mmCIF file of all heavy atoms in Angstrom:
data_model
loop_
_atom_site.group_PDB
_atom_site.id
_atom_site.type_symbol
_atom_site.label_atom_id
_atom_site.label_comp_id
_atom_site.label_asym_id
_atom_site.label_seq_id
_atom_site.Cartn_x
_atom_site.Cartn_y
_atom_site.Cartn_z
ATOM 1 N N GLU B 1 -4.593 15.204 14.870
ATOM 2 C CA GLU B 1 -4.164 13.849 15.222
ATOM 3 C C GLU B 1 -4.119 12.938 14.003
ATOM 4 O O GLU B 1 -3.185 12.155 13.828
ATOM 5 C CB GLU B 1 -5.132 13.244 16.242
ATOM 6 C CG GLU B 1 -4.578 13.164 17.637
ATOM 7 C CD GLU B 1 -5.606 12.549 18.573
ATOM 8 O OE1 GLU B 1 -5.782 11.317 18.496
ATOM 9 O OE2 GLU B 1 -6.197 13.308 19.344
ATOM 10 N N LEU B 2 -5.129 13.043 13.153
ATOM 11 C CA LEU B 2 -5.182 12.221 11.948
ATOM 12 C C LEU B 2 -4.025 12.549 11.011
ATOM 13 O O LEU B 2 -3.396 11.659 10.443
ATOM 14 C CB LEU B 2 -6.512 12.429 11.223
ATOM 15 C CG LEU B 2 -7.751 11.897 11.919
ATOM 16 C CD1 LEU B 2 -9.008 12.393 11.206
ATOM 17 C CD2 LEU B 2 -7.729 10.385 11.989
ATOM 18 N N ARG B 3 -3.755 13.830 10.873
ATOM 19 C CA ARG B 3 -2.652 14.247 10.001
ATOM 20 C C ARG B 3 -1.319 13.721 10.508
ATOM 21 O O ARG B 3 -0.503 13.213 9.745
ATOM 22 C CB ARG B 3 -2.618 15.769 9.906
ATOM 23 C CG ARG B 3 -1.550 16.271 8.996
ATOM 24 C CD ARG B 3 -1.571 17.763 8.873
ATOM 25 N NE ARG B 3 -0.557 18.174 7.923
ATOM 26 C CZ ARG B 3 -0.373 19.397 7.515
ATOM 27 N NH1 ARG B 3 -1.147 20.361 7.968
ATOM 28 N NH2 ARG B 3 0.565 19.697 6.663
ATOM 29 N N GLN B 4 -1.093 13.803 11.806
ATOM 30 C CA GLN B 4 0.165 13.309 12.372
ATOM 31 C C GLN B 4 0.288 11.801 12.207
ATOM 32 O O GLN B 4 1.355 11.286 11.877
ATOM 33 C CB GLN B 4 0.289 13.692 13.850
ATOM 34 C CG GLN B 4 1.647 13.374 14.438
ATOM 35 C CD GLN B 4 2.779 14.070 13.697
ATOM 36 O OE1 GLN B 4 2.747 15.279 13.481
ATOM 37 N NE2 GLN B 4 3.778 13.322 13.287
ATOM 38 N N ALA B 5 -0.794 11.078 12.413
ATOM 39 C CA ALA B 5 -0.771 9.621 12.246
ATOM 40 C C ALA B 5 -0.478 9.247 10.792
ATOM 41 O O ALA B 5 0.271 8.301 10.528
ATOM 42 C CB ALA B 5 -2.096 9.017 12.694
ATOM 43 N N LEU B 6 -1.040 9.991 9.853
ATOM 44 C CA LEU B 6 -0.806 9.735 8.442
ATOM 45 C C LEU B 6 0.658 10.016 8.078
ATOM 46 O O LEU B 6 1.297 9.228 7.371
ATOM 47 C CB LEU B 6 -1.741 10.598 7.598
ATOM 48 C CG LEU B 6 -1.839 10.300 6.121
ATOM 49 C CD1 LEU B 6 -2.295 8.866 5.873
ATOM 50 C CD2 LEU B 6 -2.814 11.263 5.460
ATOM 51 N N LEU B 7 1.204 11.114 8.563
ATOM 52 C CA LEU B 7 2.620 11.427 8.326
ATOM 53 C C LEU B 7 3.533 10.370 8.937
ATOM 54 O O LEU B 7 4.517 9.949 8.322
ATOM 55 C CB LEU B 7 2.962 12.796 8.910
ATOM 56 C CG LEU B 7 2.864 13.978 7.979
ATOM 57 C CD1 LEU B 7 3.058 15.275 8.746
ATOM 58 C CD2 LEU B 7 3.836 13.870 6.846
ATOM 59 N N ASP B 8 3.235 9.939 10.166
ATOM 60 C CA ASP B 8 4.040 8.897 10.809
ATOM 61 C C ASP B 8 4.024 7.614 9.980
ATOM 62 O O ASP B 8 5.067 6.988 9.774
ATOM 63 C CB ASP B 8 3.528 8.607 12.222
ATOM 64 C CG ASP B 8 3.796 9.742 13.193
ATOM 65 O OD1 ASP B 8 4.624 10.627 12.876
ATOM 66 O OD2 ASP B 8 3.152 9.756 14.268
ATOM 67 N N ALA B 9 2.856 7.230 9.495
ATOM 68 C CA ALA B 9 2.741 6.020 8.671
ATOM 69 C C ALA B 9 3.526 6.186 7.372
ATOM 70 O O ALA B 9 4.203 5.255 6.923
ATOM 71 C CB ALA B 9 1.276 5.718 8.382
ATOM 72 N N GLN B 10 3.454 7.368 6.780
ATOM 73 C CA GLN B 10 4.184 7.611 5.541
ATOM 74 C C GLN B 10 5.688 7.479 5.764
ATOM 75 O O GLN B 10 6.384 6.820 4.988
ATOM 76 C CB GLN B 10 3.864 9.005 4.993
ATOM 77 C CG GLN B 10 4.611 9.324 3.708
ATOM 78 C CD GLN B 10 4.453 10.766 3.274
ATOM 79 O OE1 GLN B 10 4.018 11.627 4.038
ATOM 80 N NE2 GLN B 10 4.800 11.044 2.030
ATOM 81 N N PHE B 11 6.197 8.082 6.827
ATOM 82 C CA PHE B 11 7.638 8.015 7.098
ATOM 83 C C PHE B 11 8.071 6.597 7.450
ATOM 84 O O PHE B 11 9.151 6.159 7.047
ATOM 85 C CB PHE B 11 8.033 9.002 8.191
ATOM 86 C CG PHE B 11 7.980 10.440 7.741
ATOM 87 C CD1 PHE B 11 7.386 11.399 8.536
ATOM 88 C CD2 PHE B 11 8.501 10.842 6.523
ATOM 89 C CE1 PHE B 11 7.330 12.727 8.132
ATOM 90 C CE2 PHE B 11 8.444 12.156 6.098
ATOM 91 C CZ PHE B 11 7.864 13.106 6.917
ATOM 92 N N ASP B 12 7.244 5.873 8.191
ATOM 93 C CA ASP B 12 7.569 4.476 8.516
ATOM 94 C C ASP B 12 7.665 3.636 7.252
ATOM 95 O O ASP B 12 8.584 2.823 7.094
ATOM 96 C CB ASP B 12 6.528 3.877 9.463
ATOM 97 C CG ASP B 12 6.607 4.448 10.870
ATOM 98 O OD1 ASP B 12 7.631 5.100 11.201
ATOM 99 O OD2 ASP B 12 5.648 4.249 11.643
ATOM 100 N N LEU B 13 6.720 3.805 6.346
ATOM 101 C CA LEU B 13 6.746 3.055 5.091
ATOM 102 C C LEU B 13 7.943 3.447 4.227
ATOM 103 O O LEU B 13 8.599 2.595 3.641
ATOM 104 C CB LEU B 13 5.457 3.280 4.306
ATOM 105 C CG LEU B 13 4.238 2.536 4.814
ATOM 106 C CD1 LEU B 13 2.978 3.064 4.139
ATOM 107 C CD2 LEU B 13 4.382 1.048 4.574
ATOM 108 N N ALA B 14 8.232 4.733 4.157
ATOM 109 C CA ALA B 14 9.362 5.195 3.358
ATOM 110 C C ALA B 14 10.679 4.689 3.927
ATOM 111 O O ALA B 14 11.588 4.316 3.182
ATOM 112 C CB ALA B 14 9.373 6.724 3.289
ATOM 113 N N GLU B 15 10.770 4.630 5.243
ATOM 114 C CA GLU B 15 11.986 4.158 5.905
ATOM 115 C C GLU B 15 12.196 2.662 5.691
ATOM 116 O O GLU B 15 13.305 2.207 5.470
ATOM 117 C CB GLU B 15 11.885 4.463 7.400
ATOM 118 C CG GLU B 15 13.205 4.668 8.073
ATOM 119 C CD GLU B 15 12.986 5.155 9.494
ATOM 120 O OE1 GLU B 15 12.807 6.369 9.679
ATOM 121 O OE2 GLU B 15 12.986 4.298 10.392
ATOM 122 N N SER B 16 11.125 1.885 5.752
ATOM 123 C CA SER B 16 11.250 0.433 5.620
ATOM 124 C C SER B 16 11.520 0.008 4.175
ATOM 125 O O SER B 16 12.123 -1.031 3.948
ATOM 126 C CB SER B 16 9.989 -0.259 6.126
ATOM 127 O OG SER B 16 8.905 -0.025 5.259
ATOM 128 N N ARG B 17 11.072 0.786 3.222
ATOM 129 C CA ARG B 17 11.281 0.538 1.793
ATOM 130 C C ARG B 17 10.862 -0.859 1.329
ATOM 131 O O ARG B 17 11.354 -1.371 0.343
ATOM 132 C CB ARG B 17 12.732 0.753 1.411
ATOM 133 C CG ARG B 17 13.196 2.155 1.588
ATOM 134 C CD ARG B 17 14.629 2.317 1.137
ATOM 135 N NE ARG B 17 15.112 3.616 1.425
ATOM 136 C CZ ARG B 17 15.212 4.593 0.536
ATOM 137 N NH1 ARG B 17 14.845 4.384 -0.691
ATOM 138 N NH2 ARG B 17 15.680 5.764 0.887
ATOM 139 N N ASN B 18 9.936 -1.495 2.036
ATOM 140 C CA ASN B 18 9.510 -2.819 1.609
ATOM 141 C C ASN B 18 8.060 -2.858 1.144
ATOM 142 O O ASN B 18 7.567 -3.915 0.779
ATOM 143 C CB ASN B 18 9.740 -3.856 2.712
ATOM 144 C CG ASN B 18 8.897 -3.613 3.939
ATOM 145 O OD1 ASN B 18 8.231 -2.597 4.056
ATOM 146 N ND2 ASN B 18 8.919 -4.544 4.863
ATOM 147 N N ARG B 19 7.394 -1.739 1.147
ATOM 148 C CA ARG B 19 6.008 -1.691 0.691
ATOM 149 C C ARG B 19 5.725 -0.337 0.040
ATOM 150 O O ARG B 19 6.354 0.657 0.361
ATOM 151 C CB ARG B 19 5.037 -1.866 1.855
ATOM 152 C CG ARG B 19 5.018 -3.251 2.394
ATOM 153 C CD ARG B 19 3.751 -3.480 3.197
ATOM 154 N NE ARG B 19 3.570 -4.851 3.549
ATOM 155 C CZ ARG B 19 4.254 -5.512 4.456
ATOM 156 N NH1 ARG B 19 5.238 -4.911 5.087
ATOM 157 N NH2 ARG B 19 3.981 -6.767 4.732
ATOM 158 N N ALA B 20 4.783 -0.373 -0.837
ATOM 159 C CA ALA B 20 4.294 0.859 -1.460
ATOM 160 C C ALA B 20 2.776 0.866 -1.329
ATOM 161 O O ALA B 20 2.153 -0.179 -1.191
ATOM 162 C CB ALA B 20 4.699 0.917 -2.915
ATOM 163 N N ILE B 21 2.218 2.030 -1.368
ATOM 164 C CA ILE B 21 0.760 2.167 -1.307
ATOM 165 C C ILE B 21 0.300 2.815 -2.602
ATOM 166 O O ILE B 21 0.877 3.804 -3.057
ATOM 167 C CB ILE B 21 0.337 3.021 -0.100
ATOM 168 C CG1 ILE B 21 0.674 2.290 1.179
ATOM 169 C CG2 ILE B 21 -1.144 3.336 -0.170
ATOM 170 C CD1 ILE B 21 0.349 3.054 2.427
ATOM 171 N N LEU B 22 -0.721 2.239 -3.171
ATOM 172 C CA LEU B 22 -1.318 2.764 -4.387
ATOM 173 C C LEU B 22 -2.731 3.224 -4.057
ATOM 174 O O LEU B 22 -3.524 2.468 -3.496
ATOM 175 C CB LEU B 22 -1.370 1.672 -5.465
ATOM 176 C CG LEU B 22 -2.107 1.994 -6.747
ATOM 177 C CD1 LEU B 22 -1.362 3.073 -7.522
ATOM 178 C CD2 LEU B 22 -2.249 0.731 -7.585
ATOM 179 N N ILE B 23 -3.012 4.466 -4.374
ATOM 180 C CA ILE B 23 -4.349 5.014 -4.148
ATOM 181 C C ILE B 23 -4.919 5.377 -5.516
ATOM 182 O O ILE B 23 -4.320 6.162 -6.249
ATOM 183 C CB ILE B 23 -4.305 6.263 -3.246
ATOM 184 C CG1 ILE B 23 -3.728 5.917 -1.887
ATOM 185 C CG2 ILE B 23 -5.697 6.867 -3.119
ATOM 186 C CD1 ILE B 23 -3.460 7.116 -1.001
ATOM 187 N N LEU B 24 -6.040 4.789 -5.849
ATOM 188 C CA LEU B 24 -6.709 5.107 -7.109
ATOM 189 C C LEU B 24 -7.890 6.013 -6.823
ATOM 190 O O LEU B 24 -8.730 5.703 -5.986
ATOM 191 C CB LEU B 24 -7.217 3.830 -7.783
ATOM 192 C CG LEU B 24 -6.174 2.809 -8.190
ATOM 193 C CD1 LEU B 24 -6.856 1.572 -8.757
ATOM 194 C CD2 LEU B 24 -5.200 3.388 -9.190
ATOM 195 N N LEU B 25 -7.935 7.131 -7.505
ATOM 196 C CA LEU B 25 -9.074 8.044 -7.400
ATOM 197 C C LEU B 25 -9.780 8.015 -8.746
ATOM 198 O O LEU B 25 -9.176 8.298 -9.775
ATOM 199 C CB LEU B 25 -8.607 9.469 -7.087
ATOM 200 C CG LEU B 25 -7.873 9.670 -5.771
ATOM 201 C CD1 LEU B 25 -7.385 11.103 -5.656
ATOM 202 C CD2 LEU B 25 -8.760 9.317 -4.608
ATOM 203 N N ASN B 26 -11.036 7.675 -8.723
ATOM 204 C CA ASN B 26 -11.797 7.586 -9.956
ATOM 205 C C ASN B 26 -13.190 8.138 -9.706
ATOM 206 O O ASN B 26 -13.723 8.010 -8.615
ATOM 207 C CB ASN B 26 -11.869 6.123 -10.413
ATOM 208 C CG ASN B 26 -12.447 5.986 -11.799
ATOM 209 O OD1 ASN B 26 -12.568 6.956 -12.523
ATOM 210 N ND2 ASN B 26 -12.815 4.774 -12.170
ATOM 211 N N GLY B 27 -13.730 8.743 -10.694
ATOM 212 C CA GLY B 27 -15.080 9.264 -10.577
ATOM 213 C C GLY B 27 -15.346 10.280 -11.659
ATOM 214 O O GLY B 27 -14.431 10.716 -12.363
ATOM 215 N N PRO B 28 -16.586 10.673 -11.802
ATOM 216 C CA PRO B 28 -16.925 11.664 -12.826
ATOM 217 C C PRO B 28 -16.372 13.040 -12.463
ATOM 218 O O PRO B 28 -15.995 13.303 -11.317
ATOM 219 C CB PRO B 28 -18.456 11.663 -12.816
ATOM 220 C CG PRO B 28 -18.829 11.176 -11.460
ATOM 221 C CD PRO B 28 -17.748 10.233 -11.037
ATOM 222 N N ASP B 29 -16.314 13.897 -13.462
ATOM 223 C CA ASP B 29 -15.887 15.274 -13.211
ATOM 224 C C ASP B 29 -16.764 15.884 -12.130
ATOM 225 O O ASP B 29 -17.973 15.664 -12.092
ATOM 226 C CB ASP B 29 -16.001 16.109 -14.481
ATOM 227 C CG ASP B 29 -14.946 15.749 -15.510
ATOM 228 O OD1 ASP B 29 -13.984 15.044 -15.147
ATOM 229 O OD2 ASP B 29 -15.093 16.169 -16.668
ATOM 230 N N GLY B 30 -16.136 16.625 -11.237
ATOM 231 C CA GLY B 30 -16.884 17.290 -10.177
ATOM 232 C C GLY B 30 -17.167 16.419 -8.967
ATOM 233 O O GLY B 30 -17.891 16.825 -8.067
ATOM 234 N N SER B 31 -16.585 15.214 -8.911
ATOM 235 C CA SER B 31 -16.874 14.317 -7.796
ATOM 236 C C SER B 31 -15.945 14.523 -6.602
ATOM 237 O O SER B 31 -16.114 13.875 -5.582
ATOM 238 C CB SER B 31 -16.810 12.858 -8.259
ATOM 239 O OG SER B 31 -15.498 12.534 -8.697
ATOM 240 N N GLY B 32 -14.949 15.395 -6.723
ATOM 241 C CA GLY B 32 -14.078 15.693 -5.590
ATOM 242 C C GLY B 32 -12.717 15.031 -5.641
ATOM 243 O O GLY B 32 -11.978 15.056 -4.661
ATOM 244 N N LYS B 33 -12.359 14.431 -6.775
ATOM 245 C CA LYS B 33 -11.050 13.778 -6.885
ATOM 246 C C LYS B 33 -9.917 14.763 -6.638
ATOM 247 O O LYS B 33 -8.975 14.472 -5.917
ATOM 248 C CB LYS B 33 -10.887 13.137 -8.264
ATOM 249 C CG LYS B 33 -11.891 12.066 -8.601
ATOM 250 C CD LYS B 33 -11.656 11.494 -9.989
ATOM 251 C CE LYS B 33 -11.699 12.502 -11.090
ATOM 252 N NZ LYS B 33 -13.003 13.016 -11.485
ATOM 253 N N GLY B 34 -10.020 15.919 -7.241
ATOM 254 C CA GLY B 34 -8.980 16.937 -7.081
ATOM 255 C C GLY B 34 -8.865 17.412 -5.647
ATOM 256 O O GLY B 34 -7.768 17.646 -5.144
ATOM 257 N N GLU B 35 -9.985 17.548 -4.976
ATOM 258 C CA GLU B 35 -9.984 17.978 -3.575
ATOM 259 C C GLU B 35 -9.282 16.946 -2.690
ATOM 260 O O GLU B 35 -8.500 17.287 -1.816
ATOM 261 C CB GLU B 35 -11.413 18.191 -3.108
ATOM 262 C CG GLU B 35 -11.518 18.756 -1.718
ATOM 263 C CD GLU B 35 -12.960 19.022 -1.313
ATOM 264 O OE1 GLU B 35 -13.814 19.229 -2.187
ATOM 265 O OE2 GLU B 35 -13.201 19.021 -0.094
ATOM 266 N N VAL B 36 -9.564 15.679 -2.937
ATOM 267 C CA VAL B 36 -8.921 14.610 -2.168
ATOM 268 C C VAL B 36 -7.418 14.619 -2.432
ATOM 269 O O VAL B 36 -6.607 14.530 -1.505
ATOM 270 C CB VAL B 36 -9.530 13.235 -2.515
ATOM 271 C CG1 VAL B 36 -8.705 12.105 -1.915
ATOM 272 C CG2 VAL B 36 -10.961 13.151 -2.047
#
């Protein structure tokens, strides 16, 4: 359910073309940034 909701939100944003989302991942090596 979470995955589908995230995909729906992504497609809605891409379709509207009026907003972008920026996600910053920061942390020390081994903190899980790559996994996220």
Side-chain angles (χ1 to χ4, degrees):
E1 254 180 75
L2 291 170
R3 182 178 183 175
Q4 188 58 51
L6 191 59
L7 267 173
D8 290 344
Q10 179 188 15
F11 289 134
D12 289 345
L13 284 168
E15 208 172 276
S16 70
R17 296 182 186 259
N18 65 352
R19 289 199 170 73
I21 294 178
L22 173 67
I23 299 172
L24 298 176
L25 298 176
N26 189 14
D29 288 347
S31 63
K33 299 180 302 286
E35 185 177 335
V36 170

